[in-house]
Amino acid sequence: RLCGVFDKQLVIWGVRDGKRLASLDHPAAVRSVEWSPDGKRLATAGGDKVIRLWDAATGKLIRAFDKFPKPLDGMSGSLPIAWNPDNRGLWVPLGQDAAQLDTETGRVSPPEHFSNGYEVESLALAADGDSLLVREGYGWTFLRDRDGTRRLLGQHLGQPQWHPDARRFLGGSWFGQRGYDTRRGQRLGTLWTGVTGGHWLCVGPDGHYRGSAGVESQFVYVALLDDGSQRTFTPAEFAKAFGWANDPAKARLLKLDP
């Protein structure tokens, strides 16, 4: 099934036959919508700062939640939400904090701070439910483990999408698509699909690259010299100056080291 959002209405279609299965009239503008992992319910966050649960088969409202320890809010009014694999817990944004809503009891866990000065922009929970990625408006990404430990991973890692292994994620932004290994705390490769001239380019963490024919004309290497100065080289100049031999096979976006 597929859910589409039209301001204050959600429509569910069957993917195989394209038939309209249900319509949900929403009391306020829909800011976000997420299927429960078992596909039986939809959770929505509305512009009226209310979280609602819907029966995905009938389109009927199950329950609404409007009581939170802090205002339900995110960056520029966005309201990202993320289901737990147990089909019960739902992570919600509370300004610069995030908390987990128990959709059975209505209880909310104590707010946890995820910010370097701006509101929460996105929430992404790994498939195993153990790790939560929180990105705030200044581009800082935090990782929360199941035991509540929080780590700051870095800035400008992009909007995170978890790999099924619950260890790696891919962050998308205008900088490109960036891979990240949360276990080792290391950036992996970077992919740019919209390089000037219709080119694409993938660069591994150690500088090896591959891409479309002629992409070498669209990027440079910047080297930090022994005297502290910087110098810019074309790929050919860099290879000649430093004996560098590019290996396209090592230009991997999400490859893990042994």
Side-chain angles (χ1 to χ4, degrees), residues 25-205:
D25 292 322
H26 205 271
V30 179
R31 296 291 177 83
S32 62
V33 56
E34 292 288 339
W35 288 93
S36 62
D38 61 9
K40 295 181 179 180
R41 295 182 295 171
L42 286 166
T44 63
D48 55 358
K49 307 300 178 68
V50 177
I51 299 291
R52 295 177 173 86
L53 295 186
W54 306 83
D55 186 309
T58 65
K60 292 183 178 180
L61 178 66
I62 299 173
R63 192 171 180 183
F65 306 92
D66 60 1
K67 298 294 189 294
F68 300 96
K70 290 187 175 183
L72 189 70
D73 199 7
M75 189 195 80
S76 301
S78 64
L79 296 172
I81 52 180
W83 279 99
N84 253 327
D86 62 6
N87 298 292
R88 177 171 175 166
L90 188 69
W91 283 94
V92 298
L94 303 177
Q96 296 185 3
D97 300 344
Q100 190 167 183
L101 167 67
D102 186 325
T103 59
E104 297 296 326
T105 66
R107 293 173 182 156
V108 182
S109 65
E112 300 179 32
H113 194 64
F114 297 98
S115 178
N116 268 350
Y118 216 112
E119 286 79 20
V120 170
E121 181 181 27
S122 67
L123 298 167
L125 193 64
D128 61 5
D130 285 344
S131 301
L132 176 73
L133 289 169
V134 183
R135 187 174 191 266
E136 54 101 86
Y138 285 137
W140 294 98
T141 298
F142 296 82
L143 175 69
R144 182 196 187 274
D145 294 318
R146 179 177 287 276
D147 63 4
T149 302
R150 284 168 283 173
R151 289 185 283 147
L152 177 61
L153 298 184
Q155 191 177 26
H156 304 312
L157 299 180
Q159 292 283 1
Q161 296 290 328
W162 278 103
H163 188 279
D165 66 5
R167 171 178 175 175
R168 293 169 286 174
F169 70 85
L170 191 64
S173 71
W174 67 274
F175 289 107
Q177 304 290 321
R178 291 181 168 174
Y180 196 92
D181 178 4
T182 61
R183 189 173 300 172
R184 294 189 177 182
Q186 296 176 344
R187 298 190 187 212
L188 301 174
T190 303
L191 173 68
W192 292 274
T193 57
V195 180
T196 304
H199 292 287
W200 66 271
L201 174 68
C202 180
V203 180

